[in-house]
Amino acid sequence: MKKSSLWAFMLMLVMALFLAACNGDSTTTEKEGEKEKDTPASTTESKEGGIVTFGTDQAPEGVFEPAYAGSIVDSYIQEFIRDEIYQVNDDLEYVPELATWEISDDKLTYTFNLEKGVKWHNGEELTVDDWVFALETLADPAYDGERYNYVENVKGAKAKKEGKADSIEGIEVVDPYTVKITFEAVKINNLENLWSHPMPKKHYEGIAIKDLGESKQVRETPVGLGAFKVKKVVDGEYSELERFDDYWKGKPTLDGVIVKVIDPSLAAGAFQNGEIDIMSIRPQSVKELSALDNVRIEETKGVGYSYIGLRFGHRDKATLTNVADFDKFKSKELRQALLYAINRPAMIDAFLEGKAEVANTVIPSTFWIAAEESELNQYEFNQDKAKELLKSAGYVDKDGDGFVEDPKGKPFKISFGHYAGPAAFEGRSQAIIQAWNDIGVKTELATGTLIEFNLYNEMKNNDDAVLEAFFGSWSTGADPDPSGLWANNAEWNFGRWVDAENQKLLDEGLSEAAFDTDYRKNVYVEWQKHINEELPAIPLWENLDLYGINNRLQGVHINAVGFQTDVYKWSVVE
């Protein structure tokens, strides 16, 4: 999934994203928030030149190729230095950017026509060979990144991934600017799930696919198509980007952008002193930043949510399938009890300054497919209800120590994981642990402490046994299809939940019948009702996307998928 590209990434990371991905706290608000916000009138005209500093409270991993990146911070940098085949508009629609396309009558073949004269940062012209190289890389058996799902629907991609073919059958290069891509089956979102990042083929010439992710070209000397190019990177501190004068949409107004790591507790002082100009901020910073005359706060409903994942099994990386072989959370009543035990409104007030809304589904309310709250179980805070559900499922305290045993009479304990960050992270992790302890479900913090963010993501990817339950956030991107995160064999289905009805509904939501939007919405509403009842994960809340912006920075356009639309138009006034 994407964050404007991401998010998918995030999501990516999402990161991670990415991924957490994507990854750290994702966020979200109202429909008008998707439109460009008015900025304070200035007595000085915007001028050409100047440097803008973007602040982030996490250090980048230093991966500048989207096919390998897993950090939300890396995705921010990529948005400055790269462009895509398509982009997402304010209405969460996919619209042409580097290419236009036509769809065949049978809806299986898409013919893409690239813009001519688009230059890479090394001066080479973009051709379809660069995009084909990217698609072939993702399907290569030696590719060790996490983006194969963005090419797997192309005809012949699976055969290449399994080493049965040297190339992807469904890709036909017509000329340097035209390519036909044929998919295995008709799906409503074949376009949205197609990898949209060309890779500079000549820049990576001579590098084996197995070595590409760790190569100097990816981590030190990246080449992109975006408005800015990488000039200097100081690990753990900042990345310096400079204007790319030959940018295909026009010469950028700014001289450059610096992406700088900032301690979030020092953000107000950094804004006041002019050290940073724009930053995605946490709710705890809003009050202090709002008091500054030179800073405006913008918030919007986005495409993210926070949840608690539950472990159901592991991922077989050889077969790219999820295997449900861990039974701790097999009881639906147990899962429901864990949600009833959490006072989500109180946690939103205590740890998010009220900048979130309780969520009972994993489809952000921004999307047109979101179910009405009246169709969902609300799971309002009720410890007595939680205890009743535990008892009905056979989880009772048989030895009188205040904690339940499982239905077989054996000790029952949950190891809960959370990543490190601001002080609020410690508070909310302890609040969740205490909530479960209060209903008699013994819960302890995995590893005894909060876990460094990148290590935490690695542990989730590798199904670390200590993460039986884990806090997570997703920024879903613009495509409402939840398959990338929740399909039975999805790589980012970190709980490894496998359920026949789940897959049936997700497949139906992508079928040819789903080209009827009413039909598709009804399918996804049914899917949300199923998730809401079964609770393979515990939905917590939708956050607000919050940004602090120095008033000297003009031209920032914020919508549900981010803040980096047309960064070449950014400018400063003094």
Side-chain angles (χ1 to χ4, degrees), residues 476-534:
T476 67
D479 180 13
D481 169 38
S483 298
L485 303 178
W486 298 105
N488 284 359
N489 289 321
E491 187 165 5
W492 293 335
N493 173 358
F494 287 127
R496 314 308 182 196
W497 182 59
V498 178
D499 175 84
E501 182 67 11
N502 169 60
Q503 193 60 52
K504 175 185 175 183
L505 290 169
L506 289 177
D507 289 343
E508 194 63 27
L510 298 177
S511 67
E512 189 164 2
F515 280 82
D516 181 325
T517 55
D518 290 337
Y519 178 86
R520 191 182 188 202
K521 178 171 182 176
N522 289 336
V523 169
Y524 282 134
V525 168
E526 288 303 310
W527 180 81
Q528 290 168 80
K529 290 162 68 174
H530 181 64
I531 294 292
N532 174 257
E533 174 68 20
E534 293 297 324

Side-chain angles (χ1 to χ4, degrees), residues 144-406:
D144 59 357
E146 298 176 348
R147 303 294 183 272
Y148 168 64
N149 62 300
Y150 283 102
V151 70
E152 66 179 345
N153 294 327
V154 177
K155 185 177 182 180
K158 184 179 180 181
K160 176 165 183 178
K161 190 67 174 176
E162 293 175 348
K164 299 176 181 178
D166 294 329
S167 60
I168 300 174
E169 178 186 352
I171 298 177
E172 177 191 348
V173 175
V174 178
D175 61 47
Y177 307 101
T178 309
V179 61
K180 292 184 177 182
I181 297 179
T182 301
F183 294 92
E184 288 281 3
V186 175
K187 290 186 177 181
I188 185 66
N189 66 345
N190 271 332
L191 174 69
E192 290 85 344
N193 280 340
L194 181 65
W195 189 244
S196 63
H197 298 271
M199 294 169 65
K201 183 177 180 180
K202 291 185 178 179
H203 183 60
Y204 294 140
E205 199 168 40
I207 305 173
I209 299 299
K210 66 181 180 63
D211 300 323
L212 188 54
E214 298 295 328
S215 68
K216 178 180 178 180
Q217 286 86 339
V218 165
R219 293 178 175 267
E220 297 178 30
T221 60
V223 166
L225 297 162
F228 299 93
K229 55 185 180 180
V230 174
K231 180 179 180 181
K232 181 180 181 182
V233 177
V234 178
D235 288 343
E237 296 184 29
Y238 68 90
S239 298
E240 184 178 353
L241 315 178
E242 62 181 345
R243 180 174 63 202
F244 179 46
D245 288 347
D246 291 330
Y247 181 55
W248 67 284
K249 290 184 181 179
K251 181 179 177 181
T253 304
L254 295 174
D255 288 328
V257 175
I258 294 175
V259 180
K260 183 178 181 181
V261 180
I262 296 288
D263 183 329
S265 66
L266 304 178
F271 268 110
Q272 188 171 26
N273 298 332
E275 296 175 33
I276 55 176
D277 296 291
I278 182 170
M279 185 173 184
S280 177
I281 61 174
R282 302 190 186 278
Q284 293 76 16
S285 301
V286 170
K287 184 176 180 181
E288 191 174 14
L289 288 175
S290 296
L292 300 180
D293 292 336
N294 67 321
V295 176
R296 63 188 185 273
I297 305 296
E298 298 201 18
E299 61 182 52
T300 184
K301 179 170 284 188
V303 289
Y305 59 88
S306 294
Y307 71 104
I308 298 172
L310 303 174
R311 180 73 61 203
F312 290 90
H314 76 281
R315 183 165 182 80
D316 185 329
K317 295 187 177 181
T319 61
L320 303 180
T321 59
N322 294 330
V323 182
D325 57 0
F326 186 66
D327 292 337
K328 175 160 284 189
F329 300 105
K330 187 175 182 179
S331 167
K332 179 175 71 174
E333 290 79 12
L334 168 64
R335 302 193 298 269
Q336 292 178 340
L338 294 177
L339 181 47
Y340 274 116
I342 299 174
N343 191 337
R344 291 177 291 171
M347 289 188 67
I348 289 171
D349 289 340
F351 305 116
L352 295 167
E353 305 296 324
K355 297 293 186 179
E357 297 177 1
V358 168
N360 291 302
T361 174
V362 292
I363 296 293
S365 57
T366 308
F367 288 121
W368 58 275
I369 65 167
E372 297 291 336
E373 286 297 321
S374 61
E375 299 181 274
L376 303 172
N377 299 322
Q378 295 300 295
Y379 295 104
E380 295 177 350
F381 175 56
N382 189 329
Q383 290 182 326
D384 291 336
K385 176 71 172 178
K387 293 175 181 178
E388 290 174 7
L389 285 166
L390 289 174
K391 185 177 180 180
S392 68
Y395 293 85
V396 296
D397 179 12
K398 295 183 178 180
D399 59 11
D401 67 349
F403 296 106
V404 301
E405 279 72 49
D406 70 16

Side-chain angles (χ1 to χ4, degrees), residues 29-257:
T29 356
E30 286 152 0
K31 202 68 179 176
E32 65 261 28
E34 297 172 8
K35 301 175 183 177
E36 186 168 9
K37 305 291 185 67
D38 294 331
T39 55
S42 174
T43 57
T44 307
E45 292 292 327
S46 297
K47 64 182 182 66
E48 183 176 338
I51 303 291
V52 164
T53 301
F54 168 67
T56 173
D57 59 11
Q58 294 173 2
E61 293 179 344
V63 180
F64 299 107
E65 177 57 64
Y68 293 92
S71 160
I72 186 65
V73 182
D74 285 343
S75 75
Y76 290 146
I77 298 174
Q78 290 161 18
E79 288 293 317
F80 286 115
I81 68 174
R82 297 188 179 277
D83 281 358
E84 303 177 57
I85 297 299
Y86 49 68
Q87 62 178 325
V88 178
N89 66 17
D90 289 358
D91 296 319
L92 301 183
E93 298 169 331
Y94 285 69
V95 295
E97 185 169 33
L98 290 172
T100 58
W101 54 86
E102 297 176 353
I103 306 173
S104 63
D105 291 340
D106 64 6
K107 300 182 178 65
L108 281 174
T109 300
Y110 288 59
T111 301
F112 293 88
N113 296 287
L114 259 61
E115 290 278 345
K116 296 180 181 179
V118 177
K119 295 291 184 65
W120 290 97
H121 294 160
N122 61 4
E124 296 286 345
E125 185 181 12
L126 170 71
T127 70
V128 295
D129 285 345
D130 298 306
W131 191 23
V132 171
F133 174 71
L135 298 173
E136 296 279 4
T137 295
L138 267 59
D140 195 285
Y143 169 67
D144 59 357
E146 298 176 348
R147 303 294 183 272
Y148 168 64
N149 62 300
Y150 283 102
V151 70
E152 66 179 345
N153 294 327
V154 177
K155 185 177 182 180
K158 184 179 180 181
K160 176 165 183 178
K161 190 67 174 176
E162 293 175 348
K164 299 176 181 178
D166 294 329
S167 60
I168 300 174
E169 178 186 352
I171 298 177
E172 177 191 348
V173 175
V174 178
D175 61 47
Y177 307 101
T178 309
V179 61
K180 292 184 177 182
I181 297 179
T182 301
F183 294 92
E184 288 281 3
V186 175
K187 290 186 177 181
I188 185 66
N189 66 345
N190 271 332
L191 174 69
E192 290 85 344
N193 280 340
L194 181 65
W195 189 244
S196 63
H197 298 271
M199 294 169 65
K201 183 177 180 180
K202 291 185 178 179
H203 183 60
Y204 294 140
E205 199 168 40
I207 305 173
I209 299 299
K210 66 181 180 63
D211 300 323
L212 188 54
E214 298 295 328
S215 68
K216 178 180 178 180
Q217 286 86 339
V218 165
R219 293 178 175 267
E220 297 178 30
T221 60
V223 166
L225 297 162
F228 299 93
K229 55 185 180 180
V230 174
K231 180 179 180 181
K232 181 180 181 182
V233 177
V234 178
D235 288 343
E237 296 184 29
Y238 68 90
S239 298
E240 184 178 353
L241 315 178
E242 62 181 345
R243 180 174 63 202
F244 179 46
D245 288 347
D246 291 330
Y247 181 55
W248 67 284
K249 290 184 181 179
K251 181 179 177 181
T253 304
L254 295 174
D255 288 328
V257 175

